[in-house]
Amino acid sequence: MKILAIETSCDETGVALVESSGVFPELSFAVRGNALYSQAKIHEQYGGVFPNIARREHARTLIPLTRIALKEAGLFIEARLEIRDAKAAAVRDILKKEEGLLTEMLPFLGNMEKPAIDAIAVTQGPGLEPALWVGISYAQALAEAWEVPLIPANHMEGHLLSSLVQDGNLRGVKLPALALLISGGHTEFVLMKDWLSYEMLGSTLDDAAGEAFDKVARILGLPYPGGPQISRLAESAREKGVRPSLSLPRPMLHSKNLDFSFSGLKTAALYATQEKEFLAERDKEELALEFENAVADTLTAKAKKALAESGAQTFVLGGGVAANTHIRRQLKKMIETEFPDVSIRFPEPKDTGDNAVMIGIAALCHIEKRGFGSYHRIAAEGNLSF
Ligand code: KG4
Ligand code: ZN
């Protein structure tokens, strides 16, 4: 089964062609085409993602990225196509609120043959609604023009399932699987008891882990997105044997539940910097190190509790923050020592950020398990949950 997947929930525009084979859940996946455009540089000047700028950039780049992904997959066949009036009218109607896309769409469709795909998948949520809408409208217009089914995908489920895939397949995954999803908007434990059936075990009460990384980076005058910057500073301090002279809280370490809270940690980091008149490079390193240690300690302690309580057989890490070297190292050490029978699935650091492959994987799992469904109209759901 071949699927064209589209991701526009935040500041990455992704278009990918993913192919599945095998019988669910023993599926294998091959990425036939993958085009990704990051808007991070544009949002950097604002210190965060501006929804309407994200939307405009998605609209500007979706068609070129689709062309790239299709070409990479060998599915772009140039042709002069007559688009029937009724079809053109339907496409225009779907894209009437996305002017930037509308002017390019009909010439694009008229210049190629319908690609050999079985369906189109698109992120329905969670995410920034203006950004989600442009991807959804675009996907809907393509599905209409090419007469293929449209499948909505949950972005967080995409992080989860794509992280569970190892060496291109889902073979040998033992359930229940406990997922720790850590991204810019979410920090949560999700238990997959049975395939594609989830229970939320805990989540952040305020800031997400990635958000805390981004905010602390801003305090230190580092550009957006701050996670990789903090991580680089902290790792280099660790290598030099720096011992932080400040101590930050490990929030909710002893609470009875599996929830998180990172906003107090961020405020403590802010106060720590306000005590100094001037932040020397060494102060920044110490703060980055202590902050990263505090986040890693908290995530690791909670993961231990979640593994013990859930009896999970697999631990999977997903989301943008899953690229963090120290967090990976701490979690791995704890699981190998305390839960040697639990199998660990960490995504490759290069696959942790938002992309369309993960949306394709989530959608293919649903199609292979339950069929295409019939989603005629999809509405963006900014707060979509499991
Ligand atoms: O999943 P993602 O790409 O987008 C969302 O769905 O939110 O996650 C982005 C978040 C940002 O907050 C970014 O700073 C953080 O992931 N991040 C990191 C690292 N790489 C990205 N945080 C800590 N360490 C990293 N190496
Ligand atoms: Zn994400």
Side-chain angles (χ1 to χ4, degrees), residues 182 213 227-228 230-232 234-235 238 291-293 295-296 299 317 319-331 346 349 352:
I182 40 181
F213 267 95
I230 297 259
S231 174
R232 199 157 13 82
E235 273 302 295
R238 229 173 254 121
F291 169 75
E292 191 178 70
N293 284 342
V295 175
L299 294 175
L317 188 66
V321 186
N324 187 279
T325 312
H326 188 61
I327 293 171
R328 292 165 81 101
R329 194 164 46 213
Q330 294 292 92
L331 284 169
F346 284 179
T352 52

Side-chain angles (χ1 to χ4, degrees), residues 9-10 12 155-156 159 182-186 210-211 213-214 225-228 231 292 319-321 323-325 327 352-354:
S9 68
C10 192
E12 319 282 333
H155 179 89
M156 298 312 289
H159 277 302
I182 40 181
S183 71
H186 293 81
E211 194 178 353
F213 267 95
D214 294 339
S231 174
E292 191 178 70
V321 186
N324 187 279
T325 312
I327 293 171
T352 52
D354 293 345

